[in-house]
C-alpha cells in the first residue's frame, strides 16, 4: 500500500507538537506560547505558507544565531499617539503582545495611534494582529519589510521585500473585514513550499538570474527575483512599505535585512508598523449609522458574486476547529523527526 500523502491532526496535537519542538530548540516559554499560537492559527486558517512549516524556519533561525530565543521586549512611550516596542532581537509576536494594550489605549485617547516594533525577527502573517485590533472595535493596518527577494517593476535586481499589508475593519456581530497580502505576486513562503515539493510556479511570480520569466522556483531562489503584484502599482506600494516600516521607524529595509542575514537563510530582521483608528473618536454618536452604511456596502459584494477577502480563511477556520488540519506527510515526518532528534538536519528554505 502507498504511504499516505497527508496526515490529519487536531489543533491541540498541532499546538503540542509545535510547542514541544520550539521549547526543545531553546525558545523561552513566552516565545513558545506566542509562536505556537500564530503558527497553529496559520495552519488552522488554511494559510499553510505561514503555518506548521514555519516551525522549521524558527528552529533554523535560532540555530543560525539570527534570533534571540528569550529576548524580553521593552515598551517605550514614544509620543502621545506612538508606542514603540524594542523586540531586542526576538520574534515580533511577543513584542506585539507587549505593545498592544498601549496601542489600544492611545487609539482610544487620540482617535489614531501607531505602534512601531523595532529590532524584531519576523516570520508571521499579519491578519492575527489586525484581528486583535478589530476585536477591540478598532480599524487597523499593519505592514513590514522582509528580505530583498523582489525586483521593482521594470528592474531585475531584487531590492524590495515581499512586504505584506494587512487591513482590518470591525463588523458588528460577525468576522471583521480583513485582507492581508504580500505586495509581491505571492508570499515567498508559497515559492518555498513549491520548491520543497518539486512543483512549478505559475508564470508572473518570478524571473531567473538573467531576468527571464520562469516557472522554476529554484531559478527564482538561485539568483533570480520575485515580481511585485500589479506591476508598477505593487512596486510603489512595496516601496512605501520599505519607507514607512523602515527608515520612518528607524529600522532596516529589506535590503539591509538580507545583508544582516549574510546567507544564513533565517527569518528577516527589521521593524513593523501598526496603525489603529478608533471609529468612536472619528464618529462619536454617529458611529452606528455609518457602520450600518459600511455593512450595506460589504453585503453588496456577495450580491455581486464576489467574495470578501478572508471568507475562505474563516471557512477554513470553522472546518479546522471541527475536524483538525490535514498536513503533508513529509512535513509531519520532518516535525516529528525534529522532536525525536533535536539535532536533525533542517531544510527550511
Ligand atoms: P494571497 O495572494 O492569497 O492574498 C491574500 C489575501 O487576499 C487574503 O486576504 C485572501 O483572503 C485574499 N484573497 C485571495 N483570493 C481572493 C479572492 N478571489 N477574492 C477575494 N479575496 C481574495 O496571499 P499572499 O501570498 O500575498 O500572502 C499570504 C500571507 O503571507 C499573508 O498572510 C501575509 O501576511 C504573509 N506574508 C508575511 C510576510 C512577512 O514578512 N511576515 C511577507 C509576505 C507575506 P483568503 O485568505 O480568504 O483567501
Ligand atoms: O512568505 O514572504 C514571505 C515571508 C517573509 C517573511 C515571512 N514570510
Amino acid at each position: 500500500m502507498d504511504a499516505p500523502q497527508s496526515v490529519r491532526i487536531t489543533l491541540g496535537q498541532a499546538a503540542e507538537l509545535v510547542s514541544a519542538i520550539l521549547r526543545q530548540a531553546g525558545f523561552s516559554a513566552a516565545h513558545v506560547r506566542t509562536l505556537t499560537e500564530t503558527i497553529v492559527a496559520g495552519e488552522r486558517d488554511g494559510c499553510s505558507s505561514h503555518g506548521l512549516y514555519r516551525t522549521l524556519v524558527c528552529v533554523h533561525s535560532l540555530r543560525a544565531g539570527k534570533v534571540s530565543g528569550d529576548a524580553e521586549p521593552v515598551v517605550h512611550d514614544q509620543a502621545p499617539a506612538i508606542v514603540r516596542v524594542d523586540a531586542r532581537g526576538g520574534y515580533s509576536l511577543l513584542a506585539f503582545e507587549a505593545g498592544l494594550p498601549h496601542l489600544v489605549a492611545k487609539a482610544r485617547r487620540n482617535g489614531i495611534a501607531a505602534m512601531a516594533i523595532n529590532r524584531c525577527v519576523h516570520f508571521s502573517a499579519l491578519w492575527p494582529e489586525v484581528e486583535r485590533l478589530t476585536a477591540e472595535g478598532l480599524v487597523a493596518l499593519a505592514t513590514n519589510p522582509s528580505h530583498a527577494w523582489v525586483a521593482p517593476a521594470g528592474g531585475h535586481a531584487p531590492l524590495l521585500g515581499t512586504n505584506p499589508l494587512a487591513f482590518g475593519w470591525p463588523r458588528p456581530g460577525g468576522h471583521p473585514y480583513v485582507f492581508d497580502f504580500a505586495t509581491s505576486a505571492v508570499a515567498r513562503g508559497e515559492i518555498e513550499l513549491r520548491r520543497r515539493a518539486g512543483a512549478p510556479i505559475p508564470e508572473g511570480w518570478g524571473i531567473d538570474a538573467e531576468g527571464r520569466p520562469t516557472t522554476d522556483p529554484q531559478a527564482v531562489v538561485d539568483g533570480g527575483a520575485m515580481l511585485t503584484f500589479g506591476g508598477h502599482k505593487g512596486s510603489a506600494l512595496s516601496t512605501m512599505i520599505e519607507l514607512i516600516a523602515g527608515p520612518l521607524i528607524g529600522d532596516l529595509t529589506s535590503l539591509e535585512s538580507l545583508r544582516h542575514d549574510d546567507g544564513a537563510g533565517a527569518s528577516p530582521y527589521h521593524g513593523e508598523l501598526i496603525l489603529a483608528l478608533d471609529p468612536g473618536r472619528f464618529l462619536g454618536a454617529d458611529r452606528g449609522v455609518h457602520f450600518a452604511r459600511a455593512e450595506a456596502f460589504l453585503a453588496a459584494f456577495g450580491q455581486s458574486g464576489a467574495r470578501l477577502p478572508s471568507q475562505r480563511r474563516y471557512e477554513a477556520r470553522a472546518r479546522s476547529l471541527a475536524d483538525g488540519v490535514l498536513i503533508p506527510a513529509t512535513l509531519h515526518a520532518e516535525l516529528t523527526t525534529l522532536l525525536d532528534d533535536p539535532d536533525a538536519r533542517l531544510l527550511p528554505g
Side-chain angles (χ1 to χ4, degrees):
M1 211 169 74
D2 289 344
Q5 301 286 299
S6 46
V7 175
R8 185 171 292 283
I9 54 175
T10 65
L11 294 177
Q13 287 168 330
E16 263 172 44
L17 180 61
V18 171
S19 58
I21 292 170
L22 295 175
R23 201 176 310 116
Q24 181 174 267
F27 285 100
S28 69
H31 280 288
V32 169
R33 178 177 54 74
T34 51
L35 290 167
T36 301
E37 274 170 16
T38 297
I39 287 172
V40 174
E43 201 66 44
R44 178 200 68 198
D45 277 21
C47 303
S48 51
S49 70
H50 290 78
L52 295 196
Y53 147 73
R54 292 286 165 176
T55 314
L56 304 175
V57 181
C58 293
V59 174
H60 172 74
S61 301
L62 189 66
R63 282 185 187 175
K66 292 292 181 184
V67 65
S68 161
D70 59 2
E72 305 236 347
V74 178
V75 176
H76 300 275
D77 190 358
Q78 180 80 11
I82 304 174
V83 57
R84 190 166 70 77
V85 189
D86 183 355
R88 300 172 68 225
Y91 270 114
S92 61
L93 300 168
L94 195 57
F96 174 83
E97 188 179 88
L100 181 64
H102 303 274
L103 176 63
V104 170
K106 283 175 182 288
R108 296 229 164 95
R109 203 173 309 128
N110 299 294
I112 181 164
M115 168 151 68
I117 300 178
N118 286 129
R119 298 203 295 157
C120 66
V121 181
H122 206 292
F123 80 94
S124 42
L126 298 183
W127 54 260
E129 297 182 353
V130 295
E131 279 194 23
R132 293 285 290 272
L133 288 161
T134 56
E136 298 284 345
L138 300 171
V139 176
L141 205 140
T143 194
N144 59 264
S146 63
H147 277 333
W149 291 308
V150 184
H156 292 164
L159 298 179
L160 302 167
T162 46
N163 302 1
L165 180 65
F167 171 79
W169 177 271
R171 299 185 66 186
H175 286 302
Y177 171 87
V178 170
F179 72 73
D180 175 19
F181 51 68
T183 45
S184 41
V186 73
R188 179 72 164 193
E190 292 289 346
I191 302 223
E192 297 294 4
L193 289 180
R194 279 168 180 75
R195 190 177 71 80
R196 285 160 56 87
I201 55 171
E203 272 179 35
W205 284 16
I207 50 178
D208 67 16
E210 277 73 48
R212 293 176 305 225
T214 183
T215 57
D216 177 4
Q218 193 66 49
V220 174
V221 169
D222 291 343
M226 297 171 69
L227 296 172
T228 56
F229 86 91
H232 62 282
K233 299 181 185 181
S235 189
L237 204 52
S238 180
T239 306
M240 178 198 76
I241 292 168
E242 294 285 343
L243 296 172
I244 64 172
L248 180 69
I249 63 168
D251 221 311
L252 302 192
T253 62
S254 298
L255 209 49
E256 291 164 336
S257 169
L258 195 60
R259 277 192 207 120
H260 168 85
D261 188 63
D262 200 20
S267 301
Y269 173 64
H270 46 70
E272 180 179 345
L273 178 67
I274 300 129
L275 302 181
L277 290 78
D278 183 1
R281 281 283 177 188
F282 277 83
L283 297 167
D286 292 337
R287 184 188 191 284
V289 176
H290 295 297
F291 267 64
R293 290 178 49 237
E295 281 306 296
F297 168 63
L298 293 172
F301 281 70
Q303 290 150 14
S304 85
R307 78 156 168 95
L308 292 178
S310 291
Q311 188 180 314
R312 176 205 62 83
R313 202 164 54 72
Y314 297 140
E315 288 165 5
R317 181 181 303 182
R319 274 196 309 276
S320 302
L321 286 168
D323 303 332
V325 289
L326 207 52
I327 63 170
T330 47
L331 175 59
H332 188 253
E334 273 178 285
L335 293 168
T336 49
T337 302
L338 189 54
L339 193 56
D340 295 340
D341 172 10
D343 298 321
R345 200 165 151 258
L346 284 173
L347 296 170

